Amino acid sequence: MMSATRKSVLSLYKRIFRIARDWQAQSGIASDTDTEKKYILQEARLLFRQNQQLLDPLLIKRCLEECEARIEIGLHYRNPYPRATYLPPLGLATQKGRILRAQQRLRKQAKPVYLQSHEET
């Protein structure tokens, strides 16, 4: 099982590098293309290194699903950057206590699969 998982992870990693190599910015400007290529490579290296110590097959599967989702969204919209998340109603509550915890829980539940590895700002 580990070899199949390793093979799928390495295959996905190579796919990202191929996408970055052939990437063309939607604007058609060479500097935008270079910036977006660098972003794709930097993001891939960062996230794969961040998750290289994972041993739980379920967590690895989630990370692979997130990666696949980000690839498909990026290719579809021709935009390598993560799409914005939309907060649930009252998502920016500033109250303390139970209400704040409930809002934090709603935020976590509303986070799409393609942004699980990103920290909230």
Side-chain angles (χ1 to χ4, degrees):
M1 169 142 165
M2 287 303 283
S3 63
T5 302
R6 179 178 170 81
K7 188 175 181 178
S8 62
V9 169
L10 291 175
S11 171
L12 195 57
Y13 195 63
K14 286 185 346 188
R15 180 177 176 208
I16 292 169
F17 276 78
R18 274 188 250 116
I19 289 169
R21 184 185 61 219
D22 300 332
W23 187 264
Q24 290 294 319
Q26 194 171 15
S27 66
I29 300 171
S31 63
D32 288 349
T33 298
D34 291 340
T35 303
E36 290 179 4
K37 282 182 178 185
K38 287 177 185 173
Y39 173 78
I40 292 168
L41 295 174
Q42 179 186 14
E43 187 77 1
R45 286 184 184 120
L46 174 75
L47 292 176
F48 275 83
R49 281 191 183 125
Q50 199 176 52
N51 296 320
Q52 74 181 1
Q53 301 301 322
L54 292 179
L55 297 175
D56 182 16
L58 184 60
L59 289 175
I60 293 171
K61 184 178 181 214
R62 269 198 217 146
C63 289
L64 291 174
E65 288 172 355
E66 177 185 354
C67 186
E68 288 284 347
R70 287 189 64 184
I71 287 172
E72 295 305 319
I73 289 170
L75 291 174
H76 178 76
Y77 291 105
R78 301 298 305 156
N79 183 358
Y81 305 108
R83 294 177 52 83
T85 58
Y86 299 100
L87 297 175
L90 302 173
L92 294 175
T94 58
Q95 299 172 348
K96 302 274 189 237
R98 284 185 166 179
I99 295 173
L100 180 60
R101 284 192 298 271
Q103 293 306 317
Q104 288 172 341
R105 188 175 62 250
L106 283 173
R107 268 187 163 156
K108 189 174 182 179
Q109 290 171 350
K111 198 172 199 180
V113 69
Y114 56 87
L115 287 177
Q116 294 298 318
S117 61
H118 279 274
E119 301 292 324
E120 284 190 35
T121 56

